Amino acid sequence: MGKLVIVGTLAFDAIETPFGKTDSILGGAATFIGLAASHFNIDAAAVSVVGGDFPQEYMDLLSSKNIDLSGVEIIKEGKTFFWKGRYHNDMNTRDTLVTELNTLADFNPTVPSEYKNAEFVMLGNLHPLIQSSVLDQMSETPKLVILDTMNFWIDNTYDDLLTVIKRVDVLTINDEEARQLTGEYSLVVAARKIHDMGPEYVVIKKGEHGALLFHNKHVFYAPALPLEEIFDPTGAGDTFAGGFAGYIAKTGDISFDNIKNAIIYGSALASFCVERFGTERMIHLERSEVHDRVMQFKQLTQFNIELT
């Protein structure tokens, strides 16, 4: 079992969906990644920044999930990153209403000394220069580096993004962003172009339509579990990444066959995340529930067939 460094935001989210709305609640990429990865009982550390307004109860919650917080900088006179968004009726599109960077605007990440030799690094959705800075601090070359990004960084920091993409092993990105990054409509061609940028594995997330894994000429598809209700998609992509990274860190196996298993675990955990607002479902999720849902994914995709 290897160490996992998680880089991302600890944040406040305010969310509006067709099912209701919340005031400021716990959110952020590092939060969702960490909660998902905690189900694998691994040695994980979060690298992030918060303001003096970030409640101690949230820190205690994350610590209770065996997430090391020594890499979380607390700027007592500052305010924590805040995001507010409204989802449309299809739950696949949303409008960002408010983004307040606050302490994140001048964030210089510091990897704790005991985690600089971590075998696995999960670079959550942040400025590419911050992601590069974390890799610069590692004392040994990690066994696997996973990077998540979004359209904002593709639009505004394209060259910096390409620089850090060259240094990672796995890129996770949604279908729209894959097309935007490469200028290709076909996801197969887009994945090939991303391979040429550096990553050995490309994971293209398609929301309610599952996820695709590309590795050289090999392709694997994991469906999304059909759900009766989706309350809040916020954090689903980060939860997927956390499940993916946590499973890899637990097993230590970076073969294509095992990464397929990681895709299933990530998909299973993400299917829980959307069932409640924010982190509510992930905080109270039991390991036995995760096992049962992974078996549901297996039953969803497994079949016997006679060729005629």
Side-chain angles (χ1 to χ4, degrees):
M1 180 177 66
K3 295 178 181 177
L4 173 65
V5 171
I6 299 166
V7 186
T9 53
L10 301 178
F12 296 131
D13 290 341
I15 303 158
E16 296 181 28
T17 81
F19 296 99
K21 59 190 295 186
T22 70
D23 294 323
S24 181
I25 59 174
L26 176 62
T31 301
F32 285 103
I33 293 168
L35 290 173
S38 70
H39 285 276
F40 300 94
N41 194 30
I42 58 174
D43 187 2
V47 176
S48 190
V49 62
V50 296
D53 57 344
F54 197 74
Q56 183 62 42
E57 65 181 281
Y58 288 169
M59 299 289 279
D60 293 342
L61 166 67
L62 296 171
S63 294
S64 73
K65 302 294 184 180
N66 294 320
I67 302 169
D68 186 290
L69 300 180
S70 58
V72 177
E73 181 183 4
I74 302 174
I75 301 177
K76 292 187 177 180
E77 66 277 12
K79 295 179 66 177
T80 301
F81 176 78
F82 173 74
W83 176 83
K84 182 176 181 179
R86 178 190 297 123
Y87 286 89
H88 297 186
N89 287 334
D90 63 4
M91 299 292 277
N92 289 318
T93 55
R94 69 186 184 191
D95 298 320
T96 293
L97 304 178
V98 179
T99 299
E100 297 175 0
L101 293 177
N102 297 326
T103 54
L104 191 64
D106 300 310
F107 178 41
N108 292 308
T110 300
V111 179
S113 57
E114 59 269 35
Y115 287 92
K116 289 186 177 182
N117 64 346
E119 292 181 274
F120 304 97
V121 177
M122 177 67 234
L123 300 172
N125 177 24
L126 283 171
H127 196 296
L129 291 180
I130 293 177
Q131 296 172 324
S132 291
S133 171
V134 169
L135 296 182
D136 291 341
Q137 295 177 54
M138 304 305 292
S139 61
E140 300 176 15
T141 301
K143 190 173 182 178
L144 196 77
V145 178
I146 308 156
L147 183 145
D148 188 30
T149 192
M150 67 178 295
N151 51 6
F152 180 83
W153 308 119
I154 298 171
D155 280 336
N156 297 286
T157 63
Y158 187 77
D159 291 341
D160 292 332
L161 180 59
L162 289 185
T163 298
V164 71
I165 284 176
K166 291 177 184 177
R167 305 176 64 184
V168 309
D169 305 292
V170 182
L171 177 67
T172 68
I173 193 169
N174 73 28
D175 48 356
E176 176 190 350
E177 292 156 352
R179 293 181 173 114
Q180 181 182 358
L181 179 64
T182 63
E184 299 289 346
Y185 182 80
S186 164
L187 294 180
V188 174
V189 177
R192 187 186 309 133
K193 281 198 170 183
I194 295 172
H195 278 311
D196 293 340
M197 295 175 185
E200 184 177 358
Y201 296 98
V202 179
V203 179
I204 298 180
K205 299 169 289 185
K206 293 171 60 64
E208 63 177 333
H209 303 296
L212 289 160
L213 168 66
F214 295 88
H215 172 60
N216 297 326
K217 295 183 180 180
H218 302 289
V219 182
F220 174 72
Y221 171 70
L225 191 70
L227 298 172
E228 289 189 15
E229 293 182 313
I230 297 177
F231 277 85
D232 176 19
T234 309
D238 294 318
T239 300
F240 172 91
F244 179 91
Y247 181 84
I248 295 295
K250 176 70 172 182
T251 60
D253 182 352
I254 60 172
S255 67
F256 179 67
D257 283 342
N258 196 58
I259 286 185
K260 290 193 292 186
N261 293 334
I263 292 282
I264 294 297
Y265 266 95
S267 299
L269 284 158
S271 73
F272 286 110
C273 179
V274 302
E275 292 180 342
R276 296 289 185 274
F277 278 108
T279 59
E280 181 183 351
R281 186 68 173 96
M282 300 306 298
I283 289 171
H284 302 291
L285 184 61
E286 299 290 339
R287 196 163 298 175
S288 60
E289 294 179 280
V290 178
H291 176 270
D292 291 344
R293 187 145 298 183
V294 169
M295 295 307 296
Q296 282 184 266
F297 269 85
K298 183 177 180 181
Q299 293 164 6
L300 187 67
T301 58
Q302 195 173 46
F303 60 90
N304 294 317
I305 189 170
E306 286 189 20
L307 297 178
T308 59

